[in-house]
Amino acid sequence: MSYLLNALVMLITLAFDAVVVLFLVRLAAEAGRADFRNPLSQFIYRTTNPVLAPIRRVLQNWRRINLAAVLVAWLLMLLKRLVLFALVGFMPHIAGLLVLALADLLDFVLMFYLILVFVWSLLSMLSNDPHQPLQRLLGAIVEPLLRPLRGRLVVGMMDFAPAAVMIVLLLGRILLAAPLLDLGTRLAMGG
C-alpha cells in the first residue's frame, strides 16, 4: 500500500472507532447503571440518543443491555470494513464481511474494557476524589467486571482483581476474537 493509502486507512479507522466508543460507553454506562447526573453521562446520552431513540422503539433492551447500541456499533464496524475493502478495490463475500464485523466488534469491546480497567486502576491509585466525573463514570462501567472478584484477590493492601480481569480480557482477545477474525477473513476472501 502507498503511504497516502495507509494514512487514509488510519484516519478512517480512527473516525469509525471514535463513534463506536461513544455507543459502547452508552451501552456500558446503562449496563452499569451509571449516575445520569454525571456531566459525562449526560454528554454521552445527548450525543447518542438521536440515533438510538428510533431504533429502541423497535429493538427493546434485553435486561440492562441496550441492543440498539450493540446494533449500531456492529453496523459501524460493518461499514468500516466495507469502506476499507473498497479502498483497496476488493469486494468481500457478504458472509465474511458479516463475521468480520462481528469479530471486529468483539475485539474492540474486549480492548475497550481492557483500557477502561487499566485507566480506572490508575485513577483510583492517583486520585482520591470520588466526585470526579470521569472516575465516577469509569467506576460504574468497570464495577460489573470487578464485582465477582472483589475482595478475593487481596494481598496485603493490594487488590489484584483489576489485573485478573485484564488477563481474562486479553485471553478473550486471543481465544475468541482472533479465531473469529481468521474465520471472517477466510470467508471474506472466498476460502
Side-chain angles (χ1 to χ4, degrees), residues 4-187:
L4 183 60
L5 187 58
N6 284 338
L8 189 58
V9 165
M10 186 207 68
L11 290 174
I12 289 169
T13 301
L14 185 63
F16 275 99
D17 289 352
V19 177
V20 170
V21 163
L22 282 174
F23 289 99
L24 288 182
V25 170
R26 166 81 182 255
L27 172 70
E30 282 185 27
R33 294 188 179 170
D35 183 15
F36 182 71
R37 295 172 300 209
N38 184 334
L40 290 174
S41 297
Q42 290 177 2
F43 169 76
I44 296 295
Y45 182 81
R46 281 193 313 266
T47 306
T48 58
N49 202 47
V51 175
L52 294 180
I55 300 170
R56 287 181 79 167
R57 288 188 198 118
V58 177
L59 190 60
Q60 299 294 318
N61 286 1
W62 178 69
R63 298 188 184 195
R64 289 190 326 222
I65 297 174
N66 186 339
L67 294 178
V70 173
L71 177 65
V72 169
W74 178 73
L75 289 173
L76 286 167
M77 287 296 188
L78 183 72
L79 186 59
K80 179 180 84 170
R81 273 290 179 171
L82 197 55
V83 168
L84 293 177
F85 276 125
L87 277 176
V88 295
F90 179 73
M91 184 57 191
H93 288 86
I94 190 69
L97 189 62
L98 297 174
V99 172
L100 271 175
L102 180 65
D104 283 343
L105 182 61
L106 176 62
D107 188 50
F108 196 85
V109 166
L110 292 170
M111 192 63 178
F112 169 78
Y113 272 109
L114 181 71
I115 291 168
L116 289 185
V117 170
F118 180 75
V119 169
W120 176 83
S121 297
L122 283 179
L123 282 176
S124 66
M125 286 190 297
L126 301 175
S127 172
N128 288 334
D129 182 12
H131 301 294
Q132 205 274 344
L134 179 61
Q135 194 166 352
R136 282 185 8 225
L137 181 62
L138 285 177
I141 291 173
V142 302
E143 183 60 31
L145 295 177
L146 297 174
R147 191 176 302 126
L149 299 175
R150 185 70 72 198
R152 294 181 184 188
L153 299 173
V154 177
V155 178
M157 296 289 290
M158 294 289 292
D159 186 6
F160 289 97
V165 167
M166 289 192 296
I167 290 170
V168 169
L169 291 169
L170 285 169
L171 286 172
R173 288 189 75 208
I174 294 168
L175 298 174
L176 298 174
L180 200 55
L181 277 167
D182 289 344
L183 174 66
T185 303
R186 280 196 311 274
L187 289 173

